Amino acid sequence: MLRLHTVSHAYGDIVSLQSVSLDLEAGEILCLLGPSGCGKTTLLRIIAGLESVYSGKLSFAGEDLRGKPAHRRNFGLMFQDYALFPHMSAADNIAYGLRRRGHSKPEIKTQVAQLLERVGLPGMGERDIASLSGGQKQRVALARSLAPKPRLLMLDEPLGSLDARLRDQLALELRQIIKEEGINALYVTHDHREAYAIADRIAVMNIAGVEQVDSPQNLYLRPRSAFVARFLGFSNIFDARRNRRIAELCAQAMGDGSRATTVLIHPAGISLHSKACQGLRCQSVLESAIFRGDYYDLRVTLDADASLRFASPSLPTVVGDALPICIAREAFIALED
């Protein structure tokens, strides 16, 4: 539906996007994930038609969007700061776009009521915006974005101002609503856990470009580069050329002929040693243990230069004691530098 081909952009001498190519399939939620300043919002503004100075090609459903003004694209935008009209009620905010499109009053009333029901705010149309909680305001903003039935819904850090508990809840609800409405969606965030919960595919962006595009599951299990692995929160990343113990383990797991230089030892492949271990059996020392509720966050030391972090359902010993572990061979992932 949406296709970007070698899109580039610069603010003076500062390059904000460099040859970005992406596709959005029909009915898909594609997430742009990356740190602040990597070009996510600039890319969103180009797609929305709010930024016109760029190079490359941009099309939607086969239609060239270059030169087409924002108001003629029929794309919806939803922001972190809600962008609601404070002097209007919730219902009037939702109805704003419908009125501008010339819908009749009966049509608007019916659609607003349906949308309020859809986003979990039935009967709250007459409430003042100031009287709503952050989560309720975000639901109104979503309903307003959905009201004109946009061809593409773009969401720019929509949950960034909410607390963690509410953010997790609304992430699931957002995905369900977008999927049930059958809308093409582009979602911007810097939170990888939020991206996992919402996206069908995730495009991880580094400074001015895209590092990897993949499903949430594949991205988590097989990050392609050291940047992607670190941004996703992985810490077991090593230079096998400078760490003899890691190099030994890589040779055992990946074969003596392995040319891997930068290596991730995936925490999902590390467990406490047991008789059922089918991978590499290693001796370690428990360096730290943090209780996280349903698991322990363990850090173990293999030697002076190599420590690993992984999750365990139990704590079998105390800090400072020896702890045998098992590392699956597939846990060793060669990364691009």
Side-chain angles (χ1 to χ4, degrees), residues 31-224:
C31 183
L32 303 180
L33 173 67
S36 297
C38 70
K40 304 186 302 294
T41 297
T42 298
L43 189 57
L44 210 67
R45 287 178 57 83
I46 288 173
I47 295 168
L50 302 176
E51 182 66 62
S52 59
V53 182
Y54 66 93
S55 63
K57 296 180 180 180
L58 175 64
S59 63
F60 188 87
E63 175 192 5
D64 189 349
L65 294 180
R66 288 175 297 179
K68 188 163 188 172
H71 68 274
R72 293 185 56 203
R73 297 189 182 192
N74 191 22
F75 293 168
L77 279 167
M78 183 177 170
F79 303 98
Q80 176 180 335
D81 61 358
Y82 319 125
L84 298 172
F85 298 112
H87 61 286
M88 293 184 182
S89 66
D92 286 338
N93 267 278
I94 297 170
Y96 180 78
L98 298 175
R99 290 198 187 98
R100 294 195 64 180
R101 290 171 179 261
H103 289 257
S104 68
K105 288 184 178 181
E107 286 178 327
I108 292 173
K109 184 176 181 180
T110 299
Q111 288 192 48
V112 168
Q114 290 174 345
L115 285 164
L116 284 167
E117 181 80 30
R118 188 72 191 83
V119 298
L121 298 175
M124 298 184 66
E126 299 309 311
R127 292 277 297 272
D128 292 334
I129 293 301
S131 70
L132 301 178
S133 68
Q136 289 171 334
K137 289 176 182 176
Q138 201 57 281
R139 292 170 195 267
V140 172
L142 175 60
R144 187 181 65 178
S145 299
L146 294 174
K149 301 188 185 304
R151 299 192 298 168
L152 172 67
L153 178 60
M154 294 178 289
L155 306 98
D156 191 3
E157 301 273 7
L159 307 181
S161 62
L162 306 177
D163 63 63
R165 181 192 60 80
L166 187 55
R167 191 161 59 241
D168 290 345
Q169 176 187 339
L170 281 183
L172 295 175
E173 292 182 13
L174 267 175
R175 175 173 172 83
Q176 182 179 0
I177 291 170
I178 290 170
K179 283 297 182 181
E180 290 180 354
E181 293 290 325
I183 293 175
N184 311 297
L186 197 61
Y187 192 103
V188 168
T189 183
H190 65 274
D191 187 327
H192 63 275
R193 298 184 188 278
E194 189 177 315
Y196 290 157
I198 287 177
D200 295 310
R201 286 190 304 142
I202 299 172
V204 181
M205 296 185 67
N206 198 349
I207 301 301
V210 175
E211 289 267 337
Q212 183 174 350
V213 183
D214 224 323
S215 69
Q217 295 84 357
N218 288 342
L219 190 67
Y220 173 78
L221 292 172
R222 306 293 300 185
R224 186 177 300 158

Side-chain angles (χ1 to χ4, degrees), residues 162-330:
L162 306 177
D163 63 63
R165 181 192 60 80
L166 187 55
R167 191 161 59 241
D168 290 345
Q169 176 187 339
L170 281 183
L172 295 175
E173 292 182 13
L174 267 175
R175 175 173 172 83
Q176 182 179 0
I177 291 170
I178 290 170
K179 283 297 182 181
E180 290 180 354
E181 293 290 325
I183 293 175
N184 311 297
L186 197 61
Y187 192 103
V188 168
T189 183
H190 65 274
D191 187 327
H192 63 275
R193 298 184 188 278
E194 189 177 315
Y196 290 157
I198 287 177
D200 295 310
R201 286 190 304 142
I202 299 172
V204 181
M205 296 185 67
N206 198 349
I207 301 301
V210 175
E211 289 267 337
Q212 183 174 350
V213 183
D214 224 323
S215 69
Q217 295 84 357
N218 288 342
L219 190 67
Y220 173 78
L221 292 172
R222 306 293 300 185
R224 186 177 300 158
S225 68
F227 171 83
V228 171
R230 289 191 178 96
F231 191 77
L232 295 179
F234 295 121
S235 57
N236 304 332
I237 301 171
F238 304 94
D239 185 339
R241 296 165 298 186
R242 300 181 180 181
N243 193 307
R244 184 162 59 181
R245 180 59 177 138
I246 296 300
E248 291 171 356
L249 292 174
C250 286
Q252 294 178 57
M254 306 168 77
D256 291 333
S258 171
R259 296 183 180 180
T261 55
T262 305
V263 177
L264 166 67
I265 302 180
H266 203 294
I270 308 174
S271 59
L272 301 178
H273 178 269
S274 70
K275 293 181 180 179
C277 176
Q278 298 296 313
L280 308 183
R281 303 182 182 189
C282 303
Q283 285 296 327
S284 72
V285 174
L286 182 60
E287 183 179 336
S288 66
I290 302 173
F291 180 59
R292 299 290 191 185
D294 54 349
Y295 69 95
Y296 288 88
D297 184 350
L298 303 184
R299 183 181 293 276
V300 299
T301 301
L302 300 180
D303 62 25
D305 298 318
S307 63
L308 298 174
R309 186 176 170 185
F310 65 101
S312 171
S314 61
L315 183 62
T317 187
V318 296
V319 172
D321 279 3
L323 183 66
I325 61 173
C326 179
I327 309 176
R329 295 178 187 277
E330 58 269 24

